[in-house]
Amino acid sequence: MLGFFIALALLLALAFSARRVWLRRRLGGLMRALPGGTPDLAVTVSSFSEIDDHVRGRRCPCGGRYEVLGEGSRVREGVRLRLLRLECGICERETEIYFDVTGVFH
Ligand SMILES: [Zn+2]
């Protein structure tokens, strides 16, 4: 009988763990569908201060504000992209936002 409860507890733990992984993946997919979530959805800006404004205005799904972890630049098919890696100040979820900064250099 004890073995049955141990097996049941293990199955429940596995089910909760699988659900968390599924929810995290689903949320990641939704985050990539937001403006700037992929290079194809890059947010077009005309100045670098617009990038700061966008980051300040964006909230994590938990309600937390993002902090910039790092930045990088890429050129893709003639489009200059700025990539920001962000981390939520509350839940520490990391995300990325792409900006089209081609207009900044013209
Ligand atoms: Zn968060």
Side-chain angles (χ1 to χ4, degrees):
M1 194 66 175
L2 181 63
F4 170 75
F5 284 113
I6 289 173
L8 184 64
L10 282 172
L11 278 175
L12 282 173
L14 271 173
F16 279 112
S17 179
R19 184 173 182 272
R20 276 184 60 133
V21 168
W22 179 78
L23 285 172
R24 184 174 300 163
R25 285 191 182 155
R26 185 166 180 263
L27 186 58
L30 291 173
M31 297 286 284
R32 282 189 292 280
L34 289 173
T38 64
D40 291 328
L41 298 174
V43 178
T44 302
V45 294
S46 55
S47 72
F48 285 112
S49 64
E50 283 183 48
I51 293 176
D52 297 334
D53 294 342
H54 189 92
V55 171
R56 268 195 298 272
R58 183 168 283 203
R59 295 283 182 275
C60 175
C62 81
R65 291 176 186 262
Y66 284 115
E67 297 166 19
V68 178
L69 286 181
E71 297 181 38
S73 296
R74 289 185 194 167
V75 177
R76 184 171 176 260
E77 297 168 9
V79 176
R80 297 178 83 145
L81 295 170
R82 190 98 181 142
L83 166 65
L84 267 69
R85 289 182 37 78
L86 308 175
E87 182 183 62
C88 174
I90 295 176
C91 71
E92 299 181 344
R93 177 187 310 278
E94 291 185 19
T95 190
E96 297 176 338
I97 303 182
Y98 289 86
F99 293 93
D100 180 345
V101 295
T102 308
V104 175
F105 296 97
H106 287 126

XYZ file of all heavy atoms in Angstrom:
834
model
N 0.828 -1.214 0.000
C 0.000 0.000 0.000
C 0.860 1.262 0.000
O 0.545 2.220 -0.682
C -0.905 -0.042 1.245
C -2.021 0.955 1.209
S -3.172 0.540 -0.139
C -4.421 1.720 0.104
N 1.957 1.223 0.777
C 2.865 2.373 0.830
C 3.466 2.632 -0.556
O 3.580 3.785 -0.982
C 3.971 2.127 1.863
C 4.967 3.274 2.028
C 4.268 4.528 2.536
C 6.093 2.880 2.961
N 3.784 1.560 -1.252
C 4.346 1.681 -2.603
C 3.390 2.373 -3.549
O 3.805 3.195 -4.377
N 2.105 2.084 -3.392
C 1.100 2.729 -4.231
C 1.109 4.241 -4.029
O 1.091 5.017 -4.992
C -0.294 2.166 -3.911
C -1.396 2.942 -4.555
C -1.655 2.817 -5.917
C -2.174 3.829 -3.809
C -2.665 3.547 -6.517
C -3.181 4.570 -4.402
C -3.429 4.419 -5.760
N 1.173 4.686 -2.761
C 1.158 6.129 -2.488
C 2.442 6.802 -2.955
O 2.423 7.949 -3.434
C 0.910 6.383 -0.994
C -0.522 6.162 -0.616
C -0.880 5.105 0.219
C -1.528 6.982 -1.108
C -2.202 4.880 0.556
C -2.849 6.758 -0.778
C -3.196 5.705 0.052
N 3.551 6.096 -2.823
C 4.813 6.659 -3.315
C 4.751 6.807 -4.846
O 5.125 7.844 -5.400
C 6.008 5.773 -2.888
C 6.222 5.907 -1.378
C 7.281 6.168 -3.646
C 7.261 4.956 -0.811
N 4.233 5.774 -5.524
C 4.104 5.843 -6.982
C 3.150 6.963 -7.380
O 3.406 7.710 -8.332
C 3.618 4.504 -7.523
N 2.044 7.108 -6.628
C 1.083 8.167 -6.913
C 1.724 9.549 -6.730
O 1.549 10.447 -7.571
C -0.139 8.022 -5.985
C -1.269 9.009 -6.243
C -1.867 8.785 -7.634
C -2.346 8.870 -5.172
N 2.490 9.715 -5.645
C 3.165 10.995 -5.396
C 4.153 11.299 -6.521
O 4.252 12.444 -6.991
C 3.880 10.957 -4.048
N 4.888 10.292 -6.967
C 5.839 10.493 -8.068
C 5.121 10.882 -9.360
O 5.562 11.784 -10.082
C 6.671 9.235 -8.292
C 7.817 9.012 -7.309
C 8.443 7.638 -7.516
C 8.862 10.099 -7.462
N 4.010 10.218 -9.634
C 3.244 10.547 -10.842
C 2.717 11.977 -10.788
O 2.762 12.713 -11.770
C 2.079 9.570 -11.014
C 2.428 8.240 -11.668
C 1.211 7.309 -11.674
C 2.909 8.464 -13.096
N 2.224 12.390 -9.621
C 1.726 13.760 -9.467
C 2.861 14.768 -9.664
O 2.694 15.788 -10.330
C 1.081 13.947 -8.093
C -0.334 13.374 -7.967
C -0.809 13.468 -6.515
C -1.297 14.118 -8.877
N 4.026 14.469 -9.080
C 5.170 15.374 -9.231
C 5.568 15.481 -10.695
O 5.858 16.574 -11.197
C 6.343 14.884 -8.384
N 5.577 14.364 -11.402
C 5.907 14.375 -12.833
C 4.883 15.178 -13.622
O 5.238 15.957 -14.512
C 5.953 12.945 -13.369
C 7.294 12.233 -13.292
C 7.139 10.770 -13.698
C 8.321 12.925 -14.177
N 3.607 15.006 -13.298
C 2.546 15.723 -14.011
C 2.686 17.231 -13.806
O 2.587 18.008 -14.756
C 1.173 15.236 -13.545
N 2.939 17.660 -12.572
C 3.102 19.098 -12.309
C 4.330 19.644 -13.019
O 4.319 20.752 -13.564
C 3.194 19.366 -10.803
C 1.845 19.399 -10.140
C 1.471 18.418 -9.242
C 0.939 20.419 -10.412
C 0.231 18.441 -8.631
C -0.305 20.447 -9.817
C -0.660 19.458 -8.924
N 5.398 18.870 -13.009
C 6.629 19.297 -13.675
C 6.400 19.431 -15.185
O 6.810 20.423 -15.791
C 7.736 18.281 -13.387
O 8.908 18.661 -14.047
N 5.734 18.446 -15.786
C 5.449 18.498 -17.227
C 4.562 19.699 -17.546
O 4.754 20.378 -18.550
C 4.779 17.207 -17.673
N 3.597 19.992 -16.684
C 2.704 21.133 -16.902
C 3.485 22.443 -16.871
O 3.258 23.334 -17.674
C 1.609 21.136 -15.839
C 0.581 22.213 -16.046
C -0.578 22.079 -15.065
N -1.568 23.086 -15.301
C -1.552 24.309 -14.757
N -0.591 24.617 -13.929
N -2.482 25.194 -15.037
N 4.422 22.561 -15.931
C 5.240 23.777 -15.839
C 6.056 23.976 -17.113
O 6.166 25.073 -17.643
C 6.190 23.706 -14.635
C 5.554 24.137 -13.347
C 6.578 24.130 -12.261
N 7.665 25.056 -12.608
C 8.166 25.942 -11.800
N 7.712 26.023 -10.578
N 9.128 26.729 -12.166
N 6.660 22.890 -17.598
C 7.461 22.971 -18.828
C 6.574 23.394 -19.987
O 6.933 24.270 -20.781
C 8.151 21.617 -19.126
C 8.737 21.604 -20.536
C 9.227 21.336 -18.086
N 5.376 22.796 -20.083
C 4.454 23.132 -21.170
C 4.036 24.601 -21.099
O 4.040 25.322 -22.109
C 3.215 22.224 -21.085
C 2.209 22.519 -22.146
C 2.265 22.141 -23.448
C 1.015 23.288 -22.004
N 1.177 22.614 -24.127
C 0.385 23.326 -23.261
C 0.408 23.943 -20.929
C -0.811 23.996 -23.476
C -0.775 24.610 -21.143
C -1.372 24.626 -22.404
N 3.703 25.076 -19.897
C 3.296 26.471 -19.729
C 4.441 27.421 -20.083
O 4.232 28.456 -20.718
C 2.829 26.730 -18.293
C 1.453 26.179 -17.942
C 1.186 26.337 -16.441
C 0.370 26.880 -18.741
N 5.665 27.070 -19.662
C 6.819 27.924 -19.948
C 7.039 28.020 -21.459
O 7.282 29.096 -21.995
C 8.061 27.377 -19.245
C 9.275 28.280 -19.422
C 10.432 27.795 -18.612
N 10.074 27.784 -17.200
C 10.736 27.127 -16.273
N 11.791 26.430 -16.600
N 10.360 27.167 -15.016
N 6.934 26.886 -22.166
C 7.117 26.887 -23.632
C 6.015 27.690 -24.307
O 6.263 28.432 -25.247
C 7.130 25.465 -24.161
C 8.420 24.764 -23.870
C 8.532 23.470 -24.628
N 9.786 22.835 -24.263
C 9.995 21.541 -24.345
N 9.053 20.761 -24.777
N 11.151 21.034 -23.993
N 4.798 27.505 -23.850
C 3.669 28.225 -24.441
C 3.838 29.729 -24.245
O 3.625 30.522 -25.155
C 2.368 27.743 -23.797
C 1.150 28.340 -24.413
C -0.103 27.589 -24.001
N -1.252 28.202 -24.610
C -2.029 29.100 -23.987
N -1.778 29.416 -22.749
N -3.041 29.649 -24.601
N 4.245 30.131 -23.034
C 4.467 31.546 -22.753
C 5.602 32.085 -23.613
O 5.520 33.200 -24.140
C 4.772 31.755 -21.268
C 4.892 33.196 -20.812
C 3.611 33.962 -21.100
C 5.221 33.271 -19.335
N 6.667 31.289 -23.787
C 7.782 31.707 -24.642
C 7.310 31.958 -26.060
O 7.711 32.930 -26.691
N 6.410 31.093 -26.566
C 5.867 31.278 -27.910
C 5.039 32.540 -28.001
O 5.118 33.280 -28.986
N 4.255 32.815 -26.960
C 3.442 34.033 -26.953
C 4.329 35.269 -26.892
O 4.059 36.279 -27.541
C 2.475 34.015 -25.758
C 1.347 32.988 -25.840
C 0.570 32.947 -24.526
C 0.410 33.319 -26.989
N 5.409 35.197 -26.107
C 6.316 36.345 -25.992
C 6.978 36.644 -27.339
O 7.182 37.804 -27.692
C 7.405 36.069 -24.944
C 6.877 35.862 -23.536
S 6.341 37.368 -22.755
C 7.901 38.093 -22.340
N 7.309 35.582 -28.099
C 7.942 35.790 -29.402
C 6.960 36.376 -30.408
O 7.369 36.930 -31.418
C 8.533 34.477 -29.918
C 9.855 34.132 -29.246
C 10.535 32.950 -29.903
N 9.813 31.720 -29.700
C 9.853 30.977 -28.601
N 10.602 31.369 -27.588
N 9.161 29.875 -28.493
N 5.662 36.261 -30.149
C 4.662 36.817 -31.056
C 4.433 38.306 -30.797
O 3.785 38.976 -31.590
C 3.340 36.058 -30.914
N 4.983 38.829 -29.700
C 4.825 40.254 -29.382
C 5.715 41.090 -30.307
O 6.691 40.580 -30.861
C 5.237 40.519 -27.929
C 4.306 39.980 -26.853
C 4.943 40.182 -25.477
C 2.956 40.678 -26.916
N 5.398 42.395 -30.462
C 6.276 43.257 -31.264
C 7.718 43.167 -30.752
O 7.965 43.277 -29.552
C 5.707 44.654 -31.034
C 4.265 44.424 -30.690
C 4.236 43.114 -29.941
N 8.645 42.908 -31.685
C 10.050 42.797 -31.309
C 10.462 41.409 -30.860
O 11.618 41.174 -30.547
N 9.526 40.466 -30.863
C 9.823 39.121 -30.370
C 10.760 38.328 -31.262
O 11.437 37.414 -30.788
N 10.785 38.652 -32.556
C 11.696 37.997 -33.504
C 12.243 39.070 -34.446
O 11.688 40.179 -34.510
C 10.957 36.941 -34.354
O 9.974 37.603 -35.159
C 10.286 35.879 -33.487
N 13.308 38.769 -35.198
C 13.822 39.765 -36.163
C 12.748 40.203 -37.155
O 12.717 41.370 -37.549
C 14.955 39.004 -36.865
C 15.412 37.994 -35.869
C 14.173 37.577 -35.116
N 11.853 39.300 -37.550
C 10.789 39.670 -38.497
C 9.783 40.639 -37.890
O 9.100 41.356 -38.617
C 10.046 38.420 -38.975
C 10.914 37.553 -39.869
O 11.770 38.126 -40.582
O 10.741 36.327 -39.844
N 9.652 40.614 -36.561
C 8.685 41.489 -35.878
C 9.390 42.673 -35.206
O 8.852 43.282 -34.281
C 7.904 40.693 -34.821
C 7.040 39.534 -35.329
C 6.457 38.750 -34.162
C 5.917 40.074 -36.204
N 10.613 42.987 -35.663
C 11.402 44.045 -35.030
C 10.616 45.353 -34.945
O 9.919 45.727 -35.885
C 12.700 44.266 -35.807
N 10.746 46.029 -33.809
C 10.090 47.320 -33.598
C 10.929 48.393 -34.284
O 12.112 48.551 -33.977
C 9.977 47.640 -32.088
C 9.342 49.009 -31.881
C 9.184 46.553 -31.369
N 10.320 49.103 -35.229
C 11.049 50.147 -35.951
C 11.138 51.401 -35.096
O 10.134 51.888 -34.581
C 10.336 50.473 -37.278
O 10.242 49.273 -38.044
C 11.107 51.518 -38.069
N 12.362 51.899 -34.924
C 12.567 53.120 -34.149
C 13.377 54.108 -34.990
O 14.099 53.707 -35.902
C 13.304 52.838 -32.814
C 12.451 51.990 -31.889
C 14.656 52.187 -33.049
N 13.242 55.392 -34.654
C 14.000 56.410 -35.371
C 15.069 57.034 -34.495
O 15.829 57.887 -34.948
C 13.056 57.486 -35.923
O 12.280 58.030 -34.883
N 15.129 56.616 -33.218
C 16.197 57.093 -32.331
C 16.419 56.045 -31.239
O 15.523 55.251 -30.940
C 15.832 58.443 -31.701
O 14.817 58.261 -30.744
N 17.597 56.071 -30.649
C 17.897 55.088 -29.607
C 17.082 55.342 -28.337
O 16.841 54.425 -27.562
C 19.395 55.080 -29.295
C 20.203 54.396 -30.359
C 21.073 55.121 -31.162
C 20.084 53.041 -30.577
C 21.802 54.502 -32.159
C 20.806 52.398 -31.569
C 21.672 53.130 -32.354
N 16.662 56.589 -28.128
C 15.849 56.867 -26.933
C 14.493 56.165 -27.018
O 13.893 55.828 -25.989
C 15.668 58.374 -26.739
O 14.939 58.919 -27.810
N 14.010 55.917 -28.249
C 12.749 55.176 -28.403
C 12.897 53.749 -27.879
O 11.946 53.159 -27.386
C 12.322 55.144 -29.874
C 11.723 56.431 -30.368
C 11.268 56.297 -31.820
O 10.587 55.316 -32.152
O 11.632 57.182 -32.617
N 14.103 53.191 -28.010
C 14.343 51.845 -27.484
C 14.181 51.860 -25.962
O 13.508 51.005 -25.383
C 15.756 51.348 -27.876
C 15.815 51.148 -29.394
C 16.100 50.064 -27.139
C 17.181 50.740 -29.919
N 14.784 52.856 -25.324
C 14.663 52.960 -23.862
C 13.201 53.111 -23.453
O 12.756 52.490 -22.485
C 15.476 54.158 -23.343
C 16.963 54.000 -23.621
O 17.422 52.842 -23.737
O 17.646 55.031 -23.735
N 12.456 53.952 -24.198
C 11.038 54.156 -23.878
C 10.265 52.847 -24.002
O 9.417 52.534 -23.163
C 10.415 55.198 -24.814
C 10.995 56.583 -24.602
O 11.609 56.806 -23.537
O 10.842 57.428 -25.498
N 10.568 52.090 -25.064
C 9.857 50.824 -25.286
C 10.141 49.842 -24.155
O 9.228 49.187 -23.644
C 10.262 50.230 -26.639
C 9.429 49.059 -27.041
N 8.289 49.185 -27.801
C 9.546 47.750 -26.754
C 7.746 47.993 -27.978
N 8.497 47.104 -27.356
N 11.397 49.750 -23.749
C 11.765 48.805 -22.678
C 11.104 49.227 -21.372
O 10.593 48.392 -20.625
C 13.300 48.731 -22.532
C 13.685 47.939 -21.284
C 13.914 48.093 -23.769
N 11.096 50.531 -21.101
C 10.456 51.011 -19.868
C 8.963 50.724 -19.857
O 8.381 50.466 -18.809
C 10.672 52.520 -19.704
C 11.898 52.874 -18.899
C 11.871 54.329 -18.467
N 11.874 55.260 -19.590
C 12.979 55.722 -20.172
N 14.152 55.358 -19.739
N 12.898 56.562 -21.177
N 8.343 50.748 -21.049
C 6.902 50.545 -21.132
C 6.477 49.090 -21.146
O 5.306 48.789 -20.971
N 7.409 48.187 -21.371
C 7.056 46.768 -21.469
C 7.112 46.113 -20.091
O 7.991 46.385 -19.297
C 7.996 46.049 -22.422
C 7.583 44.589 -22.583
C 8.289 43.939 -23.699
N 7.710 44.330 -24.984
C 7.826 43.599 -26.088
N 8.480 42.489 -26.062
N 7.294 44.013 -27.219
N 6.120 45.245 -19.837
C 6.067 44.527 -18.563
C 6.127 43.024 -18.808
O 5.598 42.523 -19.796
C 4.758 44.829 -17.811
C 4.612 46.256 -17.377
C 5.472 46.520 -16.149
N 5.313 47.873 -15.679
C 5.977 48.927 -16.142
N 6.859 48.768 -17.105
N 5.776 50.122 -15.657
N 6.725 42.347 -17.879
C 6.741 40.884 -17.885
C 5.307 40.399 -17.605
O 4.521 41.121 -16.988
C 7.688 40.417 -16.781
S 7.732 38.642 -16.540
N 4.951 39.201 -18.052
C 3.616 38.671 -17.729
C 3.331 38.646 -16.226
O 2.167 38.697 -15.825
C 3.648 37.247 -18.293
C 4.631 37.329 -19.415
C 5.675 38.315 -18.964
N 4.366 38.613 -15.382
C 4.149 38.616 -13.924
C 3.901 40.032 -13.415
O 3.578 40.222 -12.249
C 5.339 37.987 -13.193
S 6.744 39.094 -12.969
N 4.068 41.047 -14.282
C 3.864 42.436 -13.879
C 5.158 43.170 -13.586
O 5.148 44.380 -13.364
N 6.264 42.445 -13.563
C 7.556 43.066 -13.243
C 8.107 43.893 -14.387
O 7.710 43.739 -15.541
N 9.014 44.777 -14.047
C 9.701 45.590 -15.055
C 10.960 44.852 -15.508
O 11.556 44.105 -14.747
C 10.119 46.936 -14.463
C 8.965 47.840 -14.159
C 9.476 49.104 -13.475
N 8.376 49.945 -13.044
C 7.946 50.991 -13.739
N 8.530 51.325 -14.861
N 6.933 51.710 -13.302
N 11.345 45.142 -16.752
C 12.524 44.498 -17.305
C 13.769 45.346 -17.072
O 13.719 46.572 -17.069
C 12.364 44.277 -18.806
C 11.447 43.141 -19.162
C 10.261 43.365 -19.835
C 11.770 41.836 -18.813
C 9.418 42.319 -20.170
C 10.939 40.785 -19.140
C 9.769 41.034 -19.820
O 8.933 40.002 -20.154
N 14.866 44.650 -16.890
C 16.184 45.290 -16.842
C 16.990 44.764 -18.014
O 16.866 43.605 -18.380
C 16.885 44.949 -15.528
C 16.155 45.478 -14.312
C 16.660 44.842 -13.026
O 17.765 44.280 -13.021
O 15.919 44.903 -12.041
N 17.817 45.622 -18.596
C 18.616 45.221 -19.748
C 19.833 44.430 -19.273
O 20.618 44.908 -18.461
C 19.068 46.457 -20.564
C 19.952 46.019 -21.731
C 17.853 47.228 -21.074
N 19.963 43.198 -19.789
C 21.110 42.348 -19.449
C 22.259 42.572 -20.425
O 23.420 42.478 -20.049
C 20.718 40.872 -19.505
C 19.870 40.307 -18.392
C 19.632 38.815 -18.633
C 20.504 40.517 -17.039
N 21.893 42.823 -21.693
C 22.930 42.998 -22.697
C 22.335 43.449 -24.010
O 21.124 43.383 -24.207
N 23.187 43.938 -24.893
C 22.744 44.426 -26.194
C 23.670 43.905 -27.274
O 24.833 43.603 -27.002
C 22.777 45.957 -26.244
C 21.864 46.637 -25.273
C 21.929 48.143 -25.402
O 22.030 48.640 -26.534
O 21.869 48.816 -24.366
N 23.151 43.830 -28.475
C 23.963 43.425 -29.609
C 23.394 43.990 -30.885
O 22.261 44.471 -30.904
N 24.187 43.969 -31.934
C 23.749 44.487 -33.231
C 23.868 43.392 -34.280
O 24.748 42.534 -34.191
C 24.606 45.676 -33.654
O 24.415 46.732 -32.752
N 22.992 43.440 -35.249
C 23.012 42.508 -36.375
C 22.547 43.235 -37.617
O 21.762 44.169 -37.534
C 22.042 41.343 -36.149
C 22.459 40.369 -35.108
C 21.496 39.219 -35.070
N 21.723 38.467 -33.827
C 20.898 37.549 -33.361
N 19.802 37.270 -34.001
N 21.169 36.910 -32.253
N 23.037 42.786 -38.746
C 22.512 43.268 -40.020
C 21.903 42.062 -40.714
O 22.538 41.012 -40.838
C 23.610 43.895 -40.904
C 23.035 44.315 -42.246
C 24.233 45.092 -40.197
N 20.644 42.178 -41.109
C 19.936 41.054 -41.712
C 19.202 41.562 -42.941
O 18.278 42.372 -42.823
C 18.939 40.508 -40.695
C 18.198 39.282 -41.123
C 17.431 38.749 -39.915
N 16.627 37.633 -40.267
C 15.311 37.681 -40.507
N 14.666 38.812 -40.412
N 14.637 36.611 -40.814
N 19.646 41.113 -44.092
C 19.040 41.493 -45.369
C 18.941 43.016 -45.503
O 17.893 43.561 -45.848
C 17.665 40.846 -45.519
C 17.728 39.323 -45.556
C 16.359 38.673 -45.412
O 15.351 39.392 -45.453
O 16.321 37.444 -45.260
N 20.030 43.701 -45.159
C 20.090 45.153 -45.287
C 19.417 45.915 -44.165
O 19.431 47.139 -44.153
N 18.813 45.201 -43.215
C 18.142 45.841 -42.088
C 19.063 45.773 -40.875
O 19.562 44.705 -40.516
C 16.795 45.134 -41.773
C 16.147 45.751 -40.536
C 15.869 45.215 -42.972
N 19.322 46.954 -40.275
C 20.162 46.981 -39.068
C 19.281 46.721 -37.863
O 18.307 47.440 -37.616
C 20.849 48.344 -38.941
C 21.784 48.623 -40.092
C 22.393 49.977 -39.968
N 23.528 49.904 -39.070
C 24.633 50.627 -39.220
N 24.728 51.501 -40.190
N 25.635 50.514 -38.377
N 19.638 45.692 -37.122
C 18.844 45.294 -35.952
C 19.638 45.510 -34.672
O 20.847 45.330 -34.642
C 18.452 43.818 -36.052
C 17.517 43.426 -37.195
C 17.424 41.914 -37.305
C 16.140 44.030 -36.983
N 18.919 45.914 -33.656
C 19.494 46.015 -32.315
C 18.741 45.007 -31.459
O 17.501 44.999 -31.443
C 19.286 47.428 -31.768
C 20.048 47.702 -30.513
C 21.316 48.422 -30.867
N 22.090 48.675 -29.668
C 23.400 48.583 -29.640
N 24.061 48.261 -30.712
N 24.042 48.828 -28.529
N 19.459 44.138 -30.795
C 18.858 43.087 -29.974
C 19.147 43.389 -28.506
O 20.306 43.597 -28.127
C 19.444 41.729 -30.349
C 19.191 40.571 -29.396
C 17.710 40.240 -29.339
C 19.991 39.355 -29.827
N 18.101 43.436 -27.699
C 18.276 43.643 -26.264
C 17.856 42.381 -25.525
O 16.790 41.826 -25.787
C 17.411 44.817 -25.764
C 18.082 46.184 -25.729
C 18.330 46.663 -27.140
C 17.235 47.175 -24.974
N 18.708 41.920 -24.631
C 18.357 40.801 -23.757
C 17.879 41.395 -22.443
O 18.573 42.203 -21.830
C 19.554 39.888 -23.511
C 19.929 39.082 -24.739
C 21.101 38.124 -24.526
N 21.150 37.497 -23.219
C 20.391 36.465 -22.846
N 19.545 35.947 -23.680
N 20.509 35.958 -21.643
N 16.662 41.015 -22.050
C 16.042 41.600 -20.863
C 15.789 40.541 -19.817
O 15.604 39.367 -20.123
C 14.700 42.250 -21.235
C 14.696 43.247 -22.388
C 13.269 43.685 -22.688
C 15.565 44.443 -22.061
N 15.766 40.985 -18.554
C 15.426 40.079 -17.456
C 14.433 40.781 -16.546
O 14.605 41.954 -16.205
C 16.670 39.705 -16.649
C 16.355 38.719 -15.525
C 17.576 38.418 -14.678
O 18.114 39.360 -14.060
O 17.981 37.255 -14.644
N 13.388 40.040 -16.172
C 12.390 40.594 -15.264
C 13.011 40.772 -13.877
O 13.694 39.878 -13.380
C 11.181 39.656 -15.196
S 9.972 40.162 -13.960
N 12.729 41.926 -13.269
C 13.266 42.209 -11.941
C 12.597 41.411 -10.843
O 13.111 41.350 -9.717
N 11.449 40.785 -11.134
C 10.734 40.020 -10.103
C 10.950 38.516 -10.282
O 11.477 37.841 -9.406
C 9.226 40.351 -10.130
C 9.018 41.820 -9.738
C 8.457 39.440 -9.167
C 7.569 42.284 -9.835
N 10.539 37.968 -11.444
C 10.584 36.505 -11.624
C 11.850 36.047 -12.342
O 12.052 34.848 -12.504
C 9.342 36.019 -12.356
S 9.286 36.467 -14.114
N 12.673 36.999 -12.800
C 13.946 36.714 -13.463
C 13.785 36.002 -14.812
O 14.737 35.427 -15.313
C 14.891 35.940 -12.540
C 15.228 36.705 -11.285
C 16.188 35.957 -10.383
O 16.361 34.736 -10.559
O 16.765 36.599 -9.494
N 12.569 36.036 -15.397
C 12.368 35.474 -16.734
C 13.155 36.325 -17.724
O 13.135 37.548 -17.658
C 10.894 35.505 -17.106
C 10.608 35.009 -18.528
C 9.161 35.222 -18.902
N 8.257 34.720 -17.890
C 7.891 33.453 -17.782
N 8.368 32.576 -18.621
N 7.071 33.080 -16.836
N 13.846 35.664 -18.655
C 14.614 36.389 -19.657
C 13.861 36.399 -20.976
O 13.167 35.450 -21.310
C 15.993 35.744 -19.852
C 16.886 35.920 -18.642
C 18.295 35.397 -18.867
O 18.691 35.234 -20.031
O 18.981 35.157 -17.860
N 14.003 37.482 -21.701
C 13.388 37.609 -23.010
C 14.267 38.489 -23.883
O 15.234 39.099 -23.395
C 11.956 38.181 -22.908
O 11.305 38.080 -24.172
C 11.962 39.637 -22.464
N 13.955 38.538 -25.165
C 14.716 39.353 -26.107
C 13.757 40.227 -26.896
O 12.632 39.817 -27.176
C 15.483 38.462 -27.093
C 16.515 37.586 -26.446
C 17.194 36.651 -27.434
O 16.605 36.382 -28.503
O 18.299 36.187 -27.130
N 14.220 41.415 -27.247
C 13.439 42.302 -28.116
C 14.348 42.790 -29.239
O 15.479 43.222 -28.991
C 12.886 43.524 -27.364
C 12.033 43.121 -26.182
C 12.045 44.378 -28.307
C 11.428 44.312 -25.460
N 13.826 42.692 -30.458
C 14.552 43.189 -31.638
C 14.000 44.551 -32.042
O 12.785 44.756 -32.047
C 14.381 42.237 -32.826
C 15.114 40.935 -32.655
C 14.530 39.873 -31.981
C 16.396 40.779 -33.175
C 15.211 38.673 -31.825
C 17.080 39.588 -33.027
C 16.479 38.542 -32.356
O 17.141 37.356 -32.198
N 14.919 45.454 -32.398
C 14.539 46.766 -32.898
C 15.192 46.969 -34.264
O 16.360 46.632 -34.457
C 15.024 47.874 -31.946
C 14.331 47.846 -30.617
C 14.881 47.145 -29.558
C 13.137 48.505 -30.425
C 14.245 47.099 -28.324
C 12.491 48.464 -29.204
C 13.039 47.759 -28.149
N 14.418 47.530 -35.178
C 14.937 47.915 -36.489
C 15.466 49.344 -36.359
O 14.680 50.281 -36.215
C 13.811 47.839 -37.519
C 14.270 48.238 -38.919
O 15.366 48.834 -39.048
O 13.519 47.969 -39.870
N 16.792 49.487 -36.356
C 17.412 50.800 -36.156
C 17.984 51.361 -37.466
O 18.790 52.282 -37.432
C 18.528 50.732 -35.076
C 17.938 50.398 -33.731
C 19.611 49.723 -35.462
N 17.531 50.803 -38.596
C 18.032 51.259 -39.893
C 17.844 52.775 -40.040
O 18.736 53.481 -40.498
C 17.303 50.526 -41.043
O 17.378 49.122 -40.797
C 17.945 50.836 -42.381
N 16.666 53.277 -39.613
C 16.358 54.701 -39.758
C 17.199 55.597 -38.874
O 17.364 56.791 -39.159
N 17.787 55.061 -37.810
C 18.585 55.872 -36.899
C 19.859 56.351 -37.599
O 20.373 57.436 -37.322
C 18.962 55.065 -35.630
C 19.891 55.859 -34.714
C 17.711 54.644 -34.884
N 20.363 55.556 -38.536
C 21.648 55.862 -39.169
C 21.479 56.617 -40.486
O 22.460 56.825 -41.200
C 22.422 54.571 -39.421
C 22.781 53.863 -38.130
C 22.004 52.828 -37.640
C 23.887 54.285 -37.406
C 22.335 52.203 -36.453
C 24.218 53.668 -36.219
C 23.450 52.626 -35.741
N 20.263 57.031 -40.826
C 20.066 57.788 -42.067
C 19.820 59.255 -41.802
O 19.411 59.658 -40.778
C 18.905 57.221 -42.901
C 19.267 55.905 -43.548
N 18.517 54.787 -43.403
C 20.322 55.549 -44.312
C 19.062 53.777 -44.057
N 20.186 54.216 -44.614
Zn 8.408 38.519 -14.358
